[in-house]
Amino acid sequence: RQVTVFFEAVILLGVSFIPGGDFNLLANCLTSFACGMQVESFRKIHGHGIATTMCIGNLRNALQNVDDYIITHRRGFLENGLLYFGVIFTFVFGAVLGNWCIDRIGLHAIAVASVLLFIAFTIMFIDRERDLHRKWARIIADWQTTSLKR
């Protein structure tokens, strides 16, 4: 996935330097290719099917999970619904940010998306599971040490 994010960032950065007018088809093709890479590489989040480049299916899934929570009162449904709403919120925030950037820097606004992808690329190298395992290992070791002293 990191490789995909890196190439998406590079492609979109390249698109930001393509002049408008006669080269719109090239810019659209490259942007569509980057979106296709995104759709193919990020199909699931925490085991749930997510559409990262559109909202309709996510909205249906969010509302279905909230409805299931209302009926069953199972916390898992509420958590899943919030996950989907989080993805939708991020999508909408990105659209608003993109529109704001277009007003300020025009055709080069797609470079902002590229910068955000480079940041995401860097963040993806943080191994949260390893850090969590280390934390639990320390907690268990401290507990064992405390237990042995008693």
Side-chain angles (χ1 to χ4, degrees):
R1 290 183 175 175
Q2 286 93 334
V3 172
T4 299
V5 170
F6 178 78
F7 282 117
E8 279 182 85
V10 169
I11 289 168
L12 295 180
L13 184 62
V15 168
S16 73
F17 292 106
I18 296 174
D22 294 337
F23 298 100
N24 284 346
L25 182 60
L26 175 63
N28 282 332
C29 288
L30 289 171
T31 303
S32 296
F33 179 65
C35 288
M37 290 170 51
Q38 174 80 20
V39 168
E40 190 60 32
S41 296
F42 296 93
R43 291 181 177 194
K44 291 186 177 187
I45 296 177
H46 299 295
H48 301 284
I50 299 281
T52 57
T53 60
M54 46 202 136
C55 284
I56 299 301
N58 294 335
L59 182 59
R60 184 193 62 75
N61 288 333
L63 293 174
Q64 179 67 50
N65 277 282
V66 169
D67 184 57
D68 290 344
Y69 171 74
I70 291 169
I71 292 170
T72 66
H73 300 290
R74 289 192 205 153
R75 183 182 167 114
F77 287 123
L78 181 61
E79 290 171 358
N80 294 342
L82 291 175
L83 173 70
Y84 284 108
F85 279 123
V87 170
I88 293 166
F89 172 78
T90 303
F91 183 90
V92 170
F93 178 77
V96 170
L97 177 65
N99 191 43
W100 184 83
C101 290
I102 287 171
D103 287 344
R104 273 131 194 97
I105 56 179
L107 293 177
H108 300 293
I110 199 164
V112 174
S114 184
V115 168
L116 293 173
L117 284 168
F118 279 122
I119 291 169
F121 171 74
T122 304
I123 290 171
M124 290 173 79
F125 284 98
I126 297 171
D127 190 351
R128 291 187 185 122
E129 289 183 20
R130 184 192 70 207
D131 294 342
L132 182 64
H133 290 299
R134 285 183 182 171
K135 178 181 176 183
W136 279 107
R138 263 187 265 124
I139 290 170
I140 291 170
D142 290 344
W143 176 77
Q144 289 174 340
T145 304
T146 305
S147 296
L148 291 175
K149 288 182 181 178
R150 291 182 188 175

